[in-house]
Amino acid sequence: MSVPPLTALPLELLRQRSSTKWRSYGDDVIPMFVAETGFPLAPAITSALTRAVEIGDTGYTPPRPGIDVDFAAYADRLWGWRPDPSRIRWTGDVMMGVVEVLRAVTSPGDRVVVTPPVYPPFYDTVEEAGAVVERVPLRDTGERWELDLDGIAAALASGARAVLLCNPHNPTGTVHTRESLAALARLAARYGASVVSDEIHAPLTHAPAVFTPFLDAAPEAAAVGYAVTSASKTYNLAGLKCAVIVTGSDETAAVVRSLPWEVEWRAGLFGVIANRAAFSSESDSWLAQLLAALDDNRRLLAELLAAHLPLARYRIPDAGFLAWVDVSAYGWGDNPAPFVRREAKVALHHGPLFGVEGVGHVRINIGCAPDVLREAIARIGALVG
């Protein structure tokens, strides 16, 4: 039986929010740039946060907040993978976790592989850790994007010390196959490198694609890998600071335990409360409805582009609520987003920020009501007559 799609909140209510998405531009602009969604919170999250406010539960995060056990159960339900709770720690957000792990597994000046086009903070995070970005772009097969394993092997063979993986990949929405992740793990093991896997979009994988946790991809992955993830993207909790760092061996777990004590203290209590509610089985039906809504929207966008921007190139993503669209055929410059915002009053994410592969591209947030998506693409389409 099909699941009814989750209904987005009305625009007039969303514009009362005070977050980045709704305060960066005026009410004449449709905001579709930053990765915030326009849906109501899962009821279990609303209930947990409301109760915390009612009793004044606004203090420090406890030393054992329980999110380790909750995430392990969640991973088991969603992906058939049950990490050991004793190898799960927590911090403020995914990028905090990534930079701290990179600091621990690299030395200043070491090279870290990233696979553009990729989430812009990846570049900053590598530099913050004291390392140097080594670009190995995704391969475009003509049908999908995939890791360039030969390119990564060459980088590791020449001395790169780590790979910063986006799994699923932002902005393309690619769900990397188990085979490619296993091959990556074997490469890292061969060259004594580490893999840090950002898996924040994993719960948003659309069938028939199947998400594979990096640490579960191959025996070698547990020895070389660190996964960092959070409920924040799926459940729209970015402002409530909490993420988990997951390891698969005693050795990698010891690395994470050796991080400065304040890494865990950066997790906010409301973030922990909200993430635990998101990871609970009470929120599973909400997630199913969200996926139904996003599945409809990713297909709707293909129809809208065909109707209004037929020269645009778009590949329906395997995961997430972010669409990677090549609009270079319209001559709106290397970075089309400012032109689109100025002329069509639709704010999109700037393609070149994801790497030179993003020239002529925009990233569109489709985590919204279908009518909002229709209006946005119609506005942009009007620019081409």
Side-chain angles (χ1 to χ4, degrees):
M1 186 173 66
S2 62
V3 176
L6 193 63
T7 300
L9 295 170
L11 269 179
E12 57 268 23
L13 182 59
L14 291 170
R15 291 196 184 278
Q16 296 176 36
R17 290 181 173 177
S18 58
S19 60
T20 290
K21 182 173 183 178
W22 301 101
R23 286 293 177 267
S24 294
Y25 305 106
D27 286 356
D28 59 333
V29 173
I30 299 176
M32 308 187 80
F33 62 112
V34 72
E36 299 177 24
T37 55
F39 299 95
L41 291 178
I45 297 174
T46 300
S47 177
L49 291 175
T50 299
R51 178 59 176 162
V53 171
E54 287 175 345
I55 64 173
D57 192 8
T58 54
Y60 292 110
T61 303
R64 298 298 301 177
I67 195 169
D68 46 359
V69 173
D70 290 340
F71 177 76
Y74 181 77
D76 191 18
R77 291 198 311 279
L78 266 63
W79 310 305
W81 169 55
R82 193 172 183 93
D84 184 342
S86 70
R87 293 173 176 161
I88 299 173
R89 312 306 290 177
W90 43 94
T91 190
D93 61 38
V94 167
M95 288 298 100
M96 283 185 191
V98 165
V99 74
E100 295 298 345
V101 172
L102 285 177
R103 281 193 180 115
V105 301
T106 63
S107 299
D110 281 348
R111 289 176 288 126
V112 175
V113 172
V114 300
T115 55
V118 74
Y119 185 48
F122 271 34
Y123 304 102
D124 301 327
T125 296
V126 170
E127 293 176 3
E128 185 181 348
V132 177
V133 170
E134 171 128 354
R135 301 171 70 262
V136 181
L138 294 181
R139 291 183 62 252
D140 185 350
T141 69
E143 295 182 355
R144 60 178 284 110
W145 288 275
E146 60 183 31
L147 296 172
D148 179 358
L149 293 168
D150 290 340
I152 293 172
L156 296 178
S158 68
R161 302 303 304 144
V163 177
L164 180 50
L165 176 68
C166 202
N167 177 41
H169 197 89
N170 174 7
T172 63
T174 304
V175 172
H176 299 300
T177 66
R178 179 175 290 275
E179 292 74 20
S180 65
L181 295 174
L184 175 61
R186 289 191 289 270
L187 286 173
R190 179 188 311 167
Y191 293 107
S194 300
V195 177
V196 184
S197 184
D198 171 357
E199 302 188 349
I200 199 168
H201 295 276
L204 296 173
T205 299
H206 301 287
V210 176
F211 170 72
T212 300
F214 177 75
L215 295 176
D216 193 46
E220 295 87 350
V224 302
Y226 302 81
V228 192
T229 191
S230 172
S232 63
K233 284 290 187 290
T234 299
Y235 301 88
N236 204 45
L237 303 173
L240 302 179
K241 292 296 186 178
C242 182
V244 292
I245 306 172
V246 189
T247 51
S249 72
D250 290 343
E251 292 74 19
T252 52
V255 170
V256 175
R257 283 196 303 272
S258 73
L259 297 177
W261 62 269
E262 74 270 12
V263 171
E264 288 189 359
W265 276 94
R266 293 172 187 162
L269 182 58
F270 271 23
V272 169
I273 290 170
N275 271 250
R276 292 191 68 188
F279 293 148
S280 77
S281 59
E282 293 180 62
S283 295
D284 288 355
S285 61
W286 181 94
L287 176 58
Q289 289 183 276
L290 173 67
L291 285 167
L294 297 179
D295 185 28
D296 288 348
N297 277 0
R298 65 180 181 146
R299 299 175 192 282
L300 173 61
L301 179 60
E303 298 171 9
L304 294 171
L305 291 173
H308 297 281
L309 294 164
L311 300 182
R313 292 188 293 172
Y314 162 62
R315 200 169 283 160
I316 294 176
D318 298 329
F321 52 85
L322 304 170
W324 188 236
V325 183
D326 180 353
V327 293
S328 56
Y330 291 104
W332 295 336
D334 288 350
N335 184 15
F339 172 80
V340 171
R341 186 178 69 248
R342 184 175 64 251
E343 301 298 327
K345 302 298 183 184
V346 179
L348 308 175
H349 210 318
H350 298 211
L353 292 180
F354 295 81
V356 295
E357 296 76 12
V359 166
H361 289 66
V362 292
R363 194 190 73 177
I364 304 175
N365 182 339
I366 61 172
C368 59
D371 284 348
V372 172
L373 185 57
R374 290 187 183 97
E375 171 66 17
I377 303 304
R379 287 188 187 188
I380 301 170
L383 299 178
V384 299

